[in-house]
Amino acid sequence: MAIFVLLSIPLFACGLTALMRKRQWMEAVHLLSGIGLFATAASLAGSVLRSGSVSSGNGFLYVDSLSALVAVLTAFVYMVCTPYAVGYLRRDESDGTLAPHGDAHAALRRLRMYYCLMPLFVFCMFLIVVANNLGVMWIAIESTTLASIFLVTFYGRPTSLEAAWKYAMIGGVGLSMALFGTVLTYYSAHQVLGGDSVSALNWSVLVLQAQHFDKPVMRLAFILILLGFGTKAGLAPMHTWKPDAYCQAPVPVAALMSTAVLNCALYGLARFYVLTTRCLGPAFASNLLILFGLLSIGVAAPFILVQRSSRRMLAYSSIDHGGIMVLGLGFGGVLGVLGMLMHMTFHTVTKPLLFFCVGNIQQHTGNDAMRRGASGLVHVLPISAPMFLLGALAVTGTPPFSMFQSEFMVLRAGFASQHLGLSIVFVACVVAIFCGFFHHVTQLVLGPPSGAPREAFSRWKTYPVIGLSTVVIAMGFWLPAPLYQLLDGAVRILAVQP
Amino acid sequence: MWPICELYSAGLLVYAVAALAGLTAHLRKTTAAWIAPLLCYAAIAAAALEFSASCGALFAGAAFDWSLPSGIQSIHYGVCLDPLSAYFNMALSLLAVCVGVYSVGYLRHGAASRRPGLFCCFFNLHLLSLTLVFTASNIVFFLIAWELVVVTAYFLVVTDHESTEVRRGGILYILMSRGGTGLMFLGFLLLASAAGSMEFQAMHGSGEKLSPVLGASAFLLLFFGFGVKAGIIPLHIWLPAAHPVAPSNVSALMSGIVIKTGIYGMARVFFDFYGVLPVWTGMLVLVAGVVSALLGVLYALMEHDLKRLLAYHSIENIGIILMGFGSALLFRSFGYPQLAALALVAGLFHTLNHGVFKCLLFLGAGSVLQGAGTRNMEEMGGLIRRMPWTALYFLIGAVAISGLPPLNGFVSEWFTYQGLLAGFGTTSTLTRMAFPIAGALLALTAALAAACFVKAFGITFLALPRGESAEHAMEAPASMKTGMALLAASCVVLGLGATWFIPIFAPITQRALGVQITQQLVAGNSLVLTAGSVRNGSVSPLMLALGLVALGVVPFALWLAPGRKSSRVTGPSWDCGLPGLTAANEYTATAFSKPLRMIFGALFRPRREIQAEFDVSPYYPKAIHFESEIEPTFETHIYEPIWTAIQAIAARMRKIQTGSIHAYLAYIFVTLILLLLFGVRG
Amino acid sequence: MIEKALAVAFQIGLVLLLSPLVTGFNRVLKARAQTRRGPSLLQPYRDLYKLLRKGMVIPDTASWIFTATPFVLFVTTLLASLLIPMVSVAAPLSLFGGVLAVVYLLALGRFFLALAGLDTGSSFGGLGSSREMTISAIAEPALMLAVFTVAIGAGSTNLSIVAQSAQGQSWRFLAPSQMLAFAALFIVLIAETGRIPVDNLSTHLELTMIHEAMILEYSGPYLALIEWAAAIKQLVLMMLLVNVFFPFGLSADWSPGAVLFSLVLFSLKLLLLSIVVAIVEIGNAKMRLFRVPELLAIAFVLGALALVSTFLFQG
Amino acid sequence: MHFWQDSEFGNRMITLMAALVLVLQIVMVTERWIVTNIRAFALQSFLLACIANTIAYYNNAPHIYAAAVFMLLVKAILLPVMFERLVTKIEIRQEIEPLINAPISVIITGLLTLLAYVVAESFHRPDEPLSPASLGHNTLAVAIALFLIGFFMMVNRRKALTQVLALLSLENGIFLAAISLTYGMPMIVEVGIFFDVLVAGMVLAILVYRIRETFDSMDVSRLSRLKG
């Protein structure tokens, strides 16, 4: 029952907004949908904790603790993004960036498009998490891409069009590879299950028979799946669309994409990882995952070191954290998987904080340049700038904050699985990324006052920043017990005993 | 009988409450005058609590440990106050009390007074995290506390972040510390994988379980990881950049105790986690110590910025401490636990001594900076007349740091000498020559330190003021003077009362090396310090001091003997007949260090340029402009090339994101082809 | 306890009396070498007596350090002399400080003297202090190596024990390590007391003077105390050299007869050493300031050779 | 029984039609004119629909018929017509200038087909009898070849519209693999996939139109302002 509510709220919100005339109404629906979604996701997680797994529509929709975790995280990000989006778009409207030469009607149309597409975008993400059938999961991922294309071209600038085109093309190719992988998985499962009943492609059914699948087909299938979902998650060599898309999309969309879409893509990858390790044994899959994980971290490091735009720096940071999660999964064992899931949780909490701060800074200074751009922002943005510094410390895995614990756990997994050389490379890249990231942020935040007027205090844009930073600090020292049980359940699903 | 646990946790609580109060005060934008002193008093109270807790742990020998659940099963925040932690915690809290008293007056003006709440919040958080670093009992909590120290220290260093020099120092500090922490991650995990658990108790002696290669690499990783924080020579460049720009009470704390966290880490790893180490490890530590000491003091001599001079001296004294540790390691690997205990006591005692007198000197420099308004020694002079008390305390610190009797610097250097002296007989291989050579270089270092502090004290405080800001210098307020007085007193007490202080090390050497040496180190009903036994050399700073005072009678007698009261007139010094003596005639800091700059020219490669303007005759220049500088060898030859190489590689890597969609699709296409060719077969 | 106090008083009296004599004897020898009669042997006593009664001029820029330095210098050198066996093997206060304490007490005196030099505010003082601190710093390693050789030979830094163990073995001083250590210490003696090749005590030419530059502004009783302290320091270093390397004739205890005999022997040895010093002074011209480190580098090499030879020749 | 019930005949027909599809794909790679390119894609989709019919007929799996009808409707008729109207509306120069000239791209296509066979070969089980279940196995190699050539065509094309066409032909390869290996995915999945392909086609068409308007040319290599 909670699953249907979870899916229907966004659809309902999308439909309602399409009919709205006034901006206040759209914002109200947007906010309500955010809060409603988080409440439903939380109750769904509660019921999953109580009964292990929840399914409805005779197995078509299936939620276990892994999907409940990702659902809760997605709902959390959406809930946090909605108030910020209201403040952000109001500021855009007053700046006149929404509609060329102040045409109010066009601005309203564009706002309606935003408030319609966002719930649709979230609906597809929840569908990914909830779908038991791997084919339906692929359809849901494909539709997230389609829904978000027009969000990326929201501002209609030539560069945003260019970013959208790259996003569409690379996303399209990646996802067709994923489709091919799904087809091959179905083919390798076909001999064993036989018959083409509707439940033939259901994950819960497949996972029980995984040992008997056809080995070479499964190997090819996992390669294609890894490339497909890797493109969606933005792992290196397929990461090239990410910096452009995050740079051009509105900040709330970028925040949602960099955390929720990354989580869903890795969720899909994890589903197939379980099937492959059951069928082929852990060696094949973890070597590939380690390769792509390290590649992503290695590619992200130099770009962050010499980066000139803050939004692109955050994009590369997402690529780096995607790489760390995949590396954790690759190292395997309870430690590696727990490290990955904790990293996913903490990243989902920390990254939006950074995006909101960058958003506030960009709207104040007008551009997101770092090198010769503004400095001494702490005098002008008294809350966003310090929180940006705090977020920078958190996201680079500096110990007092939570990301350190998950990164350290991934490192321990690396040592446990005798990958000493790789762990050294991993630590080196993490330190290099910290140097680049923190260097740029301090140049932006600290420094003499540049005489610009102090930013007008806007409630919608500042309270999410404050709320998120308290959560980030609290997460450093204490983890709520139900969340940890959810993590534990998810680990038991993923950690395939070799 | 001694409520250690309650005192300790009460101390932590007071720190935390003070930090939160500071934060709320800052957020509510109250810059009332009473905020800073109140929070400093809180810090003093907390430090006093910690001091009594650690003294209790040391004297009563009672250790305790409790842990805080962290919500994640595999990580819990454990704390344990064993002898080594108690010793360092005691040193920390002693310095924290003195710096706290000093800060009450210091925070009235200067960069920190613009944001008192925030400064006090980070100050208390910094002390809290330092206490946790010394008392953490598992790796994760140790690393969390360690990085919290780095982060809070960074925010304290950049309080005056308006100036670029401050920001550059801060960023250099945090980046290099983070590099060091990265090395420590790897080293600790190697040991943990051998010990099978993250607890310090379980890791006791875990170094043996590792294979020789892994054991050696873990040792090197941890040595250089802690070395970055301690400021050993090749990894030291952040120290002279960060300490001078910080507010003086912060740089006093940083030089006094924060770099000692590196020393604590080394002591914990070398003597607790490793049983017996190969000989080359001890030699490496000894050589690093000698090099750091010698180069540290040589660079200090060339400085004419008072706080940079003191920062370089921290490197020198860390070198001396490492000499103690290095010889202790060598003795242990040669199989002489008694001598190893002597050398370890020398190193640990010098850690405390250096903490005390370096803190005193930085506080002195701070009050000079506030009084005379400048850090450059060339513009100071004659401050002894206007700031008599600061001058006296600075003088006591200078005498102590130069290792002159009867103060505490002399006692710990005396122990180091005795350790090196005894080392000659311990082995027959050529390494026996290392000890006397190290001893000779230590003597050279001590003498150069004396020369450096004659320059520092003489140019800053004596003769005529060179700049007009020095002319109107004001004496430091009462609280700053009391802070310095406390430290000066502890310098004297640690010096004269060393015989009562040495037994503290008994439990430490017992746990680390399994041998109690302190009975042999103290003899003559605890009046005399000996090097193992009275027979092989003894010294008694107390008796020497009494001797000096008693013998004072002889010169007085000689002065009064001839009966008739001789006249005593004050007149101008000899000015070679020039019209009156001005400040321009005085020797400057650069001139004072010129002979040594010429002698050690190979190291400094000094460069100078002189432009003289003449108007009438070529023999009498109207004005001479003199500029001389030495080459910062480490920055130009090691760090800049590496940094530019990294930037170049990163810039070239940026070409990947060319902007053309064909390239992007080609990347994926090639990856697919490669995986199909090799992946499927694999 | 009283016996100990008597020994301390006796050694103090002896040191005070003998030190001006040594400088006087040195001046007489140099004069004779330059075929002139030179001042009488007791001239230094007369100078000191005159200075103690004369008036004093204190520079107006000077602080309390200027007035305290003569007393600190005098007392530290005197205390250092008590740690060294002079007439009896058992030096009065040797329990409370070994050879390291002697070295660092002299360093404490030098520290304050250099500060006093800077305190006068004239460039001469700064010049003297800078050169003095440089030369003493360069001399330290050689001094420490020689001290190490001696201490390792005797197994202790306590000078009484060193003298005793040296007395025990016959022809101890002919061992190569002892000779090399003696040579190194001799060069350090020349540098520390400011003899000709390093510094010229009798001239006030700013190009050459080191020790004199620092005490340029002193006059009256203060100057007397400083001159006397310099003489005592010279005696201390000579005693170190004589009694550590040629300890025969030192009386075992403080009985009056034995003390008298060892006093005669000690003054003979002192006579010989000051003749050697005088010969060195006469034979050499003053070196340029930046040639002095090479001289002290030679001393350092000698010290190192001494150390090597302790285990190379089992000497 | 009639010749058309004989499964051997069915197998032959499927292999023949698969070969024709591959040939059409190579024609699309070398074709210079956009309109003929669109028509080649339409023909290819039509052939795929026939293959689906044949497989459905021989394995009497009803829902494959539905898949064939969808393929015919969406990919053979609807999308090509939309693209042609788009092309005539924008009346851009019909010329396609590929990144790599024709001879080299043909060689690459040959290599890709070879690679496809090498990969597909590892699935082929010589011992397996020629049963209806394994009817379409040898078309897996064709499917992988279609996929790789489609991908190469995307990399090779300058014009935005031709990139979309390449993407759709790439998905044709996957459709072929789906129907020949597993006789179609479950019905709901087939419907979903075609719906997605349809929406993707329309969205991309809108994008191509807006690119044409803002950059007044469909040349994608112009879109390279976002660097680093």
Side-chain angles (χ1 to χ4, degrees), chain D residues 1-14 53-60 65 135:
Chain D
M1 61 167 177
H2 301 290
F3 68 92
W4 57 83
Q5 274 111 2
D6 171 5
S7 67
E8 184 47 36
F9 167 77
N11 199 1
R12 285 279 183 277
M13 274 303 288
I14 290 169
N53 266 326
T54 350
I55 290 180
Y57 174 73
Y58 280 96
N59 294 72
N60 47 52
Y65 282 116
L135 203 58

Side-chain angles (χ1 to χ4, degrees), chain B residues 384-385 388 392 395 398-399 402-406 410 413-414 417-418 420-421 424 428 430 432-433 435-437 439-444 446-451 453-455 457-459 462-464 527-528 534-541 543-545 547-549 551-556 558-559 562 564 566-576 581-582 585-587 591-596 598-600, chain C residues 8 12 16 49 52-65 67 70-72 74-76 78-80 82-83 93-98 100-101 104-105 107-108 110-112 114-116 118-131 133-134 136-138 140-142 144-145 147-149 151-152 154-158 161 165 216-217 221-222 225 228 289-290 293 300 304 307-308 310-311:
Chain B
I384 196 165
R385 198 155 284 103
L392 175 66
L395 181 62
V399 168
S402 317
L404 300 174
F410 168 71
E413 264 175 34
W414 185 81
Y417 275 124
Q418 292 296 343
L420 292 171
L421 186 64
F424 187 78
S428 61
L430 212 56
R432 71 195 305 183
M433 274 308 287
F435 293 104
I437 300 291
L441 292 180
L442 176 59
L444 174 61
L448 289 173
F453 274 90
V454 161
K455 175 181 96 165
F457 185 80
I459 307 289
L462 300 181
L464 295 171
L527 266 181
V528 173
V534 179
R535 199 201 165 293
N536 41 31
S538 59
V539 77
S540 158
M543 293 312 289
L544 287 183
L548 285 176
V549 169
L551 286 176
V553 168
V554 174
F556 269 110
L558 290 174
W559 187 25
R564 232 172 3 77
S566 44
S567 69
R568 177 187 165 108
V569 170
T570 56
S573 332
W574 165 245
D575 50 13
C576 309
L581 205 64
T582 64
N585 299 94
E586 280 165 3
Y587 236 54
F592 192 90
S593 52
K594 177 159 174 41
L596 281 165
M598 301 296 288
I599 293 169
F600 291 96
Chain C
V8 166
I12 291 175
L16 288 178
Y49 181 70
L52 279 174
R53 291 172 50 251
K54 279 178 73 76
M56 253 191 311
V57 176
I58 312 283
D60 45 23
T61 67
S63 61
W64 58 271
I65 287 182
T67 47
F71 296 99
V72 168
F74 192 90
V75 162
T76 46
L78 199 57
L79 184 62
L82 295 178
L83 303 176
L93 301 175
S94 69
L95 178 66
F96 302 131
L100 291 172
Y104 275 95
L105 276 171
L108 179 62
R110 188 188 312 124
F111 185 84
F112 273 89
L115 281 184
L118 280 170
D119 201 7
T120 53
S122 80
S123 37
F124 296 107
L127 178 121
S129 311
S130 156
R131 288 180 182 167
M133 292 314 283
T134 311
S136 64
I138 306 293
E140 279 287 320
M144 200 46 77
L145 277 185
V147 158
F148 263 48
T149 323
I152 286 162
S156 152
T157 56
N158 186 328
I161 295 166
S165 72
L216 211 56
E217 290 300 325
Y222 287 167
L225 285 179
W228 208 331
L289 180 62
F290 292 121
F300 181 79
L307 256 174
V308 168
T310 52
F311 63 88

Side-chain angles (χ1 to χ4, degrees), chain A residues 139-165:
Chain A
I139 294 161
I141 288 188
E142 174 73 17
S143 42
T144 51
T145 318
L146 300 179
S148 56
I149 284 177
F150 287 114
L151 283 171
V152 173
T153 60
F154 179 72
Y155 289 112
R157 291 187 293 253
T159 47
S160 56
L161 204 58
E162 172 187 337
W165 177 256

Side-chain angles (χ1 to χ4, degrees), chain C residues 179-193:
Chain C
M179 294 310 286
L180 289 168
F182 180 82
L185 261 183
F186 183 78
I187 295 175
V188 168
L189 165 72
I190 299 289
E192 283 294 329
T193 49

Side-chain angles (χ1 to χ4, degrees), chain B residues 654 657-662 664-666 668-669 672-673 676-677 680-681, chain D residues 99 112 115 118 147-148 151-152 155 157-158 163 220 223-224 226-228:
Chain B
R654 256 165 68 92
Q657 193 79 5
T658 53
S660 104
I661 186 161
H662 304 289
Y664 299 162
L665 288 170
I668 304 175
F669 187 60
L672 177 63
I673 300 296
L676 286 181
L677 281 173
V680 177
R681 202 68 76 275
Chain D
L99 232 58
L112 290 178
L115 173 66
V118 161
F147 177 80
L148 291 177
F151 199 150
F152 166 66
V155 174
R157 282 288 181 269
R158 266 193 216 288
Q163 268 193 342
V220 168
L223 277 74
S224 59
L226 291 170
K227 279 196 172 40

